[in-house]
Amino acid sequence: MKNAQQHILIAELALSSDAHILRGLLEAQNITVFMFDEGFSSLTPADALAVGGIKIHVPFEQKDKANKIVNAFYENLKKESIPKCSNCDSINLKYDIREHIKHIFMNLLTFFTGTNASHGTRSFKKCLDCGYEN
Ligand SMILES: [Zn+2]
């Protein structure tokens, strides 16, 4: 039986920045937050998941209120990770290998000719709604 003094694991996150955003959201609703393994995960983020990431605990009696916030937070993370067109916000994108090869060719050409024109970072996804090359 859990008592009021115990706390419960409510989220595990790989990124320290995500963990602090969630912590802020929980504390804004007067939920007490305990974070564990943040030091190790911050030093070597690539290995953070090997130890289960940054663990966020809340007091057992606040778990229901905290769960709603955590679920909304995870939903937002999912939405933000879906690639969208920069021009029209459509999610109807298709990877364009021809644009990617053209980009590599142009980078090699500018490298060997010494013009050093940077073409920036792109995802090479063509929007099927508006035709924009993202
Ligand atoms: Zn578009």
Side-chain angles (χ1 to χ4, degrees):
M1 184 73 189
K2 302 272 182 191
N3 64 42
Q5 301 299 312
Q6 290 180 305
H7 46 83
I8 185 168
L9 174 68
I10 198 143
E12 292 172 303
L13 295 154
L15 295 177
S16 177
S17 53
D18 286 346
H20 279 278
I21 290 168
L22 181 57
R23 177 189 189 167
L25 291 170
L26 291 165
E27 286 180 344
Q29 298 300 313
N30 296 319
I31 296 171
T32 307
V33 175
F34 306 94
M35 287 173 66
F36 298 99
D37 292 335
E38 188 195 358
F40 179 77
S41 297
S42 299
L43 284 173
T44 59
D47 300 329
L49 290 176
V51 294
I54 300 164
K55 293 157 196 75
I56 295 182
H57 289 233
V58 297
F60 186 76
E61 75 273 8
Q62 293 183 308
K63 79 172 172 59
D64 292 335
K65 190 177 173 185
N67 256 331
K68 287 179 190 156
I69 295 165
V70 170
N71 289 339
F73 177 77
Y74 279 133
E75 277 303 310
N76 275 336
L77 277 185
K78 263 192 256 170
K79 272 189 225 159
E80 286 173 15
S81 66
I82 297 171
K84 287 182 183 170
C85 174
S86 309
N87 191 38
C88 71
D89 277 348
S90 168
I91 58 165
N92 199 8
L93 304 178
K94 186 178 184 234
Y95 174 67
D96 191 344
I97 192 163
R98 285 173 42 199
E99 275 299 310
H100 201 162
I101 289 170
K102 197 165 98 183
H103 177 81
I104 292 167
F105 176 76
M106 287 303 290
N107 272 347
L108 287 172
L109 183 70
T110 57
F111 175 78
F112 287 117
T113 58
T115 51
N116 194 26
S118 172
H119 296 280
T121 306
R122 296 183 47 206
S123 63
F124 307 104
K125 289 191 172 103
K126 184 173 186 165
C127 177
L128 297 177
D129 292 335
C130 73
Y132 186 77
E133 294 281 354
N134 289 279

